[in-house]
Amino acid sequence: PLGKHLLARHLPVSPSIAKMLSTLRSRGASSSMTGFVTLQARALRSQPLRVGARAVAAASAVPRQAEQQEAPARSGAAGVLGLATAGLVGRSGLRRAAAARPRAQCRSVAAVATPITSSAEVGSKLHGWTCERVEELSELKCTGLLWRHDKTGAELLSVEQPFEENKTFGVVFRTPPESSNGIAHVLEHSVLCGSRKYPVKEPFTELLKGSMNTFLNAMTFPDRTCYPVASCNLQDFYNLVDVYLDAVLHPRALSDPKVLAQEGWHYEIEEKDQPLSFKGVVFNEMKGVYSNPDAVQGRTLLTNLLPDTPYGVDSGGDPKEIPDLTFDYFKGFHERFYHPSNARFWFYGDDPPDRRLELLDEFLRDFERNEVTSAIKKQPLWDTPRKVEHDFAVGKDEDLSKKSMCAVSWVLSEDKPDLEHSLALSVMDYCLMGTPGAPLRKALTDSGLGSRVIGGGLYEGLVQPTFSVGLKDIKDEDAQAVEELVIKTLEQVASEGFEAEAVEAALARIEFQNRELNTGGFPRGLALMFSAVSNWNYDKDPFEGLRFDAPLRALREKLVDRKEPLLEGILKDTLLNNAHRLTVTSKPSVEEGPRLETAEKERLEAHRKTLSDEQIQHLIEETKALKKIQETPDTPEALSVVPRLEISDIPKETQKIPTEIGQLGSAEVLRHPLLTSGVVYVDVAFNLNTVPTDLLPLLPLFCRGLREMGTQKSDFVGLQRRIDLSTGGISASPFISSKRNSDEPAAFLVMRGKAMDAKIESLLDLMAEIASEVSWENKDRFVQLAKEAQAGGRSQLLSSGHIIASGRLGRQTTVAGWASEQLSGLTQFKAVGALLQRAENDWPSVESQLRQLQECIFNAACVVNLTADSDALAKIDGHVNAFLARLPQQSKPITNWKPALTTANEGIIVPSQVNYVGKGANLYKEGYTLHGSSIVTSRLLGTTWLWDKVRVSGGAYGGFCSFDNRSGDFKYLSYRDPNLEKTLEAYDGTAEFLREELQMNADLLAKSIIGTMGDVDKYQLPDTKGYNAMLRHLLGETDAMRQETRDQILGTTADDIRRFASALEPVRNGSVCVVGGEASVKDAAEALGLALSSPLAADA
């Protein structure tokens, strides 16, 4: 729960990203994903993975609008516990080409039957390395070799997996911080700003422009910094590795203080009569993080729970302390910790194992062994519990009566547990917290004290395991009641014991996740790396984090066969009888925001008073010099050293997913024969065009209620257990999108489920039961779901304003955009508030509407999408027919949504120190006709003009644009932005940049095309392939249409890119939506004609 700092340099635009980041923040994380400036900004979606009893985060980068749509995850997963901060780059090998083989059908590793072999044995010496261990990883059907570098002592875990084309590499340095000046985070950003071998300003952006990578990122955890990359193309992979290695070992930042000034912090002043200000990417990013109450609560919890360790400070950086970071300390930190003797390297995939050793030695041979003191200090356990209170900022008009938070947390032991004990902790955590019906989560939810459970439960990613749980939106005086309820519930569970069925369900869920090894779009190799590092970083056995069979069997025998009270004993030892307990109460304060702003202003004024006129003039010159560097592009000669593929390496033919289209009764059935390790993936799409307009805002809660309200056969607790025992999860979510050349949207409710082929009957039986027998009678349960949704909406307004702004712009231009905003964003937030009041005061009317929705949506005239091995598909029809027979056979009349689409400029005021600035228009309505070059150009703008103007020069955490080639919507968006009008000026200068300033040469054009194709051909696991094939079918997008777009992308010319400037001209007069702090939004309101609203105000 207290885990990692994800301090991203680029931002996502998908609501699922906000959901994932919200989850991580609830675990005390701050987030930083750097590699998200792709085509339409990449969507990061969490997919849990349990490997060796360790939960690791899986994030998937998926292009939002090219050829793929983000697939909503099948629910039932155990929670996100992994990732961290971001920086990034990638590149290796000086050769340019090496033929890119066409993407093979993604194989499921477990499905391949072949002997497991290794390339070396213990004691083997090769390329300056000595093999110390060889381990057969039977669960993963591969071999792992642990090597030590003879000269430096660096370690390498080389996993040889000949059936995994998505090759992964990572290097991890232990980087324990000594203060909250953000050194680890700032350095993670800075090393990616040029290096000895690649002396350009930002090799990272060059890689973003022209790599086929499947992952490009960097992360700062509270005690380590990770630099991972992945690619399916071997030469591209080597390129990425080479750039990363040169970046971390020989960064330009050590000799150029302006890198620290740009990425970390600097004083900014342009005229003598102006006040001083702080600027810097990390500085502004962390101001945004510290504007989020959830993040502030998580940080307070972590620093106070483990105060005598590196976790007692914020590795991401506190804005109050970041300006204390000096260049000398910056250099010294790199010298101490970014040394091969402090490095742990990772490779995984089908690349040649010997080349891994050779490639690394080419870099490491220049270093000598160094004794690095970086071991992570452990927290001595307390003998008495402690309490901490702190304030967080809220708006002056907010209702403060129920805005506090309370979390109760423990450090569970003095050391990391062994594998079996770790797995037992995971089972205990799942039984206590893993489902809505789990006793601890249910007790807190049912108490009515707060709106949403927070804390996240078990986290094992630090040097000691922790556990945290609490409630959000409570009364100040109820903090003690929350703590007492947590203790009372734990005592009750310890006394009565865990229910046998709940334990079996937890074991079944964990085993399914391990055997499926489904990490979504996130490379499996990197998920495994994070699992190994959770041990390796603390000098424990890295292989332990990659195993699960033996400990799972042993644990099952104890818990199920012998019915030992093992979990109850662990609960007593680690929680009830453990005095190392911290209760954190977070209280809202209207004074906190102004206090922080005043303190920063006074600090700047005090510093200015110490400066002479000459010193002020020097700062003015420094400001100008930094801006000149930022705005001066690298020369073509300098950029040419950054290796890339050639366009000729890109397959000319679009990837086709095998699809068999048939009919079962009134249902259309799509079958995708793919290797899936015996798992069957089922998607059922029900048309939403029968839903009346006034019921649309109810859909998100309706979908959640399907899974969490129970059925006529089982209450929601029993239903979840049945799902866990027989399946890998079931979910339901709306999908709404524009269609090309149509004003009518595609709108579906998609139910998704997965199970082993032997359990497909149970899966479809449960899906039919949920659709046809859901129970809507439980008013209290629905009210709680609505409260949780309202709390989530508030968090989104504070932390993901770019998503809110994007939705508000989209609702003005198309029916699909309008409908989508009804289901998410500001309109949904307001609707949930009204619905909550109605549910509490007039429940029959709400229950009636829920039943009406059920009748409108579910019927046998649906689309059934099946992805599985050929053998499983051959015997599934009978089960599908039984499923369809339980659905109503008659569909409801179609309802045409006819909203009035009007344009407006909006200013949405929230208590925040940063802004989220959006501007957009619909290009199709302005006469533009789609050409594939627009996708290339949109991507190019995100890595050139917007990157330089909004992020590098403007200091925002991110700036990007998106072009939805289905609807025609083009949007500019910024994230954690210290500016407002200046950012809008940058947006308005885009067309001129394309016409006059863009130095388009053959190299930049090729990079732009290659990078775009990397997004288009994004790596996909079988279930995602099947899902995306279904979406294309529903949207009427044929392989011929995709091939035409592909041809246009590959054939893009410099003239095509310049011509797109004309298409962007209408956006200068487009709509504006800004989410931000009161002062900045109100200051710009008159000039921009903003209609102001304060959705968090008490009277909103």
Side-chain angles (χ1 to χ4, degrees), residues 869-907:
D869 302 329
S870 296
D871 290 345
L873 290 176
K875 54 188 179 183
I876 201 173
D877 281 5
H879 303 307
V880 174
N881 276 323
F883 165 79
L884 294 170
R886 294 177 60 182
L887 299 176
Q889 302 302 303
Q890 299 296 322
S891 58
K892 296 290 183 178
I894 291 176
T895 300
N896 291 317
W897 303 331
K898 297 293 184 182
L901 302 178
T902 57
T903 59
N905 293 343
E906 293 186 83

Side-chain angles (χ1 to χ4, degrees), residues 79 141 423 444-445 677 822 855 980 994 998:
K141 302 294 188 295
L423 183 57
L444 288 165
T445 300
S677 301
Q822 298 285 308
E855 293 173 2
L980 197 161
L994 289 176
L998 176 61

Side-chain angles (χ1 to χ4, degrees), residues 365-385:
R365 65 176 63 148
D366 294 338
F367 292 85
E368 300 295 334
R369 187 184 294 260
N370 192 15
E371 295 302 322
V372 181
T373 303
S374 64
I376 308 303
K377 182 181 178 182
K378 296 171 185 174
Q379 173 66 50
L381 298 186
W382 305 333
D383 53 14
T384 56

